[in-house]
Amino acid sequence: EVQLVESGGALVQPGESLRLSCVGPDFILGGSWMGWVRQAPGRGLEWVAHIPPDGREKYYVDSVKGRFTISRDNAQNSLFLQLDSLRVEDTAVYYCVTDRGFGAVDNWGQGTLVTVSP
Amino acid sequence: QSALTQPPSASGSPGQSVTISCTGTINDIGTYDYVSWYQQHPGKAPKLIIFGVTERPSGVPDRFSGSKSGNTASLTVSGLQAEDEADYFCSSYAGGHDKVFGTGTKVTVL
């Protein structure tokens, strides 16, 4: 298994912003589709965003379009998620993941908790 | 894209088998042979146990097996062990850049 390490989760108020980061081994991050999957407390999993190895295209779930931005820096072996205009319903554990193809997530970070509360 | 439908719970005694269903539509499971299954223990990240409907990643016991018929995929855990008690999620590719997870099933080992 590849170790992915997320950071940046915090307790914030609605409307505020956060930036999540993920670092991992260069032999994986540089050549993999990557993304963020979230899990609300006691709930299921949801793809939030994903990005190809070259970072030229970005894909988002409808509920975060226009508010979240995914990016990557292959030179730094890093993946990012900028979360703006946060809502209560964005509260979840956010996992940094690698996608071996067609949605098969073969590596997961430990997760970072984002809590949005008034 | 709506979540795939799984039963909320399933159970079995040690040594028995349990099968979990995952129902989608013609737009996902019914068209693509890209169904994955994940095991998640409390407080832990999910772990990939099946991909491509039937394939197991290295290190996953052959007690775990996957199948598909029509719009429904299934995960069977044979020879249940105490450590198999966990939440299980399915997922499917849905064309283009769409991917969808299932609602999750809690497996209890009696």
Side-chain angles (χ1 to χ4, degrees):
Chain A
E1 287 186 12
V2 171
Q3 188 168 12
L4 302 174
V5 180
E6 304 100 332
S7 61
L11 169 63
V12 297
Q13 295 188 336
E16 293 187 338
S17 298
L18 277 177
R19 180 174 172 84
L20 307 183
S21 300
C22 170
V23 294
D26 59 359
F27 66 92
I28 288 295
L29 261 65
S32 299
W33 276 80
M34 298 199 67
W36 294 91
V37 171
R38 68 183 177 184
Q39 186 171 34
R43 305 292 296 276
L45 302 166
E46 180 183 43
W47 274 100
V48 175
H50 56 285
I51 187 169
D54 63 8
R56 291 183 178 181
E57 300 168 343
K58 302 170 185 184
Y59 304 93
Y60 303 93
V61 67
D62 285 347
S63 60
V64 309
K65 285 179 180 176
R67 300 189 299 121
F68 291 7
T69 304
I70 189 172
S71 62
R72 63 192 297 164
D73 182 342
N74 291 340
Q76 298 295 322
N77 305 322
S78 296
L79 178 74
F80 306 99
L81 187 68
Q82 178 69 35
L83 297 74
D84 295 321
S85 303
L86 279 161
R87 303 170 181 171
V88 171
E89 56 265 35
D90 295 320
T91 295
V93 173
Y94 286 72
Y95 293 102
C96 169
V97 302
T98 62
D99 182 347
R100 64 175 292 152
F102 301 102
V105 177
D106 52 351
N107 291 292
W108 300 73
Q110 84 285 355
T112 187
L113 177 61
V114 173
T115 303
V116 186
S117 179
Chain B
Q1 187 73 30
S2 298
L4 307 174
T5 301
Q6 298 180 236
S9 62
S11 62
S13 299
Q16 290 186 333
S17 294
V18 65
T19 297
I20 303 166
S21 63
C22 170
T23 302
T25 70
I26 190 66
N27 296 316
D28 38 66
I29 294 176
T31 294
Y32 303 102
D33 289 333
Y34 296 117
V35 177
S36 303
W37 288 91
Y38 304 88
Q39 178 191 61
Q40 185 179 33
H41 288 108
K44 301 293 187 180
K47 173 188 174 183
L48 180 67
I49 57 173
I50 295 287
F51 67 95
V53 179
T54 61
E55 303 300 311
R56 283 186 308 277
S58 175
V60 174
D62 60 6
R63 302 185 294 103
F64 295 91
S65 62
S67 64
K68 188 188 91 166
S69 178
N71 296 339
T72 298
S74 298
L75 172 73
T76 297
V77 186
S78 305
L80 266 176
Q81 299 182 5
E83 58 263 36
D84 298 332
E85 186 161 296
D87 292 328
Y88 292 83
F89 294 91
C90 61
S91 78
S92 177
Y93 177 65
H97 292 280
D98 289 333
K99 298 166 284 196
V100 61
F101 284 103
T103 50
T105 298
K106 181 177 180 59
V107 169
T108 301
V109 181
L110 302 172

